[in-house]
Amino acid sequence: EAQVTQNPRYLITVTGKKLTVTCSQNMNHEYMSWYRQDPGLGLRQIYYSMNVEVTDKGDVPEGYKVSRKEKRNFPLILESPSPNQTSLYFCASSYGGGTEAFFGQGTRLTVV
Amino acid sequence: DAKTTQPPSMDCAEGRAANLPCNHSTISGNEYVYWYRQIHSQGPQYIIHGLKNNETNEMASLIITEDRKSSTLILPHATLRDTAVYYCIVRLTTSGTYKYIFGTGTRLKVLA
């Protein structure tokens, strides 16, 4: 089954403790991206990747890092999480940037 | 950057057509219009996309005005399961890369 898998689905952590949210897709898609969703603000793009070793900033990249060492994986790294990064995060992938995107089920992160 | 404007909410009777409008007055000639929907806090689901011609698939129809400054998503026979937030998105292309800008969407409630 074609899918985008994020882990964990829920995470509560403390300020400053590094964390990684994993994202994996099984569709051999080139394009992957991360979004955060906050009430009243819709989805905002954090980072995206056009292919392996090619990443670029989205609209709200501050406080986040990403890597794309393999085509299927696109982890989101928070080196020093802060409470304003409490949000619902989505990973998405598509064959190309302009084609149908498949979204993961989301990761609800709480930073206390 | 081209942005979209959608009404914050709409109601539709079950079995009737739901017509969801979107304004994208600053869209440029090579930017596509995409529609996604999000049910509760699940990952957004692709519905349809188009450039200048009207499009139809098994889920919906997309009507784009001749000047491309606005579009309408039509769900021909809305069901209760169509209750969701619907996002109209313009896909930006800058130097060969792609970027989606999500607005806050339209919350569609289908009434029994």
Side-chain angles (χ1 to χ4, degrees):
Chain A
E1 180 189 354
Q3 58 185 7
V4 177
T5 303
Q6 296 178 225
N7 279 297
R9 293 288 311 279
Y10 302 90
L11 178 61
I12 301 174
T13 189
V14 296
T15 299
K17 185 177 181 182
K18 180 179 178 179
L19 67 91
T20 299
V21 183
T22 64
C23 174
S24 180
Q25 49 93 4
N26 63 358
M27 296 166 279
N28 201 36
H29 284 165
E30 295 174 341
Y31 186 90
M32 298 184 74
S33 56
W34 276 103
Y35 295 84
R36 62 176 289 172
Q37 185 172 31
D38 304 290
L41 296 177
L43 281 87
R44 294 179 293 168
Q45 193 175 53
I46 303 171
Y47 269 95
Y48 62 96
S49 169
M50 296 292 288
N51 213 325
V52 175
E53 302 292 1
V54 181
T55 63
D56 205 351
K57 296 177 181 179
D59 293 318
V60 288
E62 294 78 21
Y64 304 94
K65 286 176 57 178
V66 293
S67 69
R68 188 89 182 276
K69 293 182 170 38
E70 306 167 278
K71 201 171 190 179
R72 63 182 293 128
N73 296 322
F74 190 45
L76 179 70
I77 303 156
L78 285 72
E79 295 270 4
S80 182
S82 62
N84 64 12
Q85 292 178 298
T86 292
S87 188
L88 178 59
Y89 291 87
F90 290 102
C91 177
S93 77
S94 61
Y95 180 70
T99 59
E100 172 189 355
F102 292 80
F103 282 79
Q105 284 302 98
T107 296
R108 189 170 292 280
L109 172 66
T110 302
V111 183
V112 297
Chain B
D1 295 345
K3 300 257 191 312
T4 62
T5 304
Q6 301 176 251
S9 64
M10 293 180 64
D11 291 340
C12 177
E14 188 177 21
R16 303 296 295 269
N19 296 276
L20 291 88
C22 178
N23 285 318
H24 31 79
S25 57
T26 59
I27 194 170
S28 63
N30 62 349
E31 291 177 331
Y32 284 75
V33 178
Y34 281 73
W35 284 83
Y36 284 78
R37 72 181 183 184
Q38 186 177 26
I39 298 173
H40 297 300
S41 295
Q42 298 175 19
Q45 175 191 23
Y46 167 82
I47 301 173
I48 199 167
H49 73 281
L51 182 62
K52 57 178 72 173
N53 297 321
N54 298 337
E55 302 287 345
T56 295
N57 63 20
E58 65 278 3
M59 287 183 69
S61 295
L62 174 60
I63 309 298
I64 301 174
T65 58
E66 192 169 341
D67 63 9
R68 303 208 328 119
K69 293 184 185 300
S70 65
S71 60
T72 301
L73 177 75
I74 301 173
L75 307 178
H77 305 287
T79 70
L80 298 178
R81 286 177 293 181
D82 291 322
T83 292
V85 178
Y86 288 76
Y87 294 98
C88 170
I89 301 154
V90 170
R91 187 199 80 189
L92 304 176
T93 304
T94 305
S95 302
T97 61
Y98 300 93
K99 193 174 190 179
Y100 289 97
I101 295 182
F102 281 77
T104 51
T106 295
R107 186 173 297 276
L108 175 69
K109 184 183 291 186
V110 180
L111 306 172

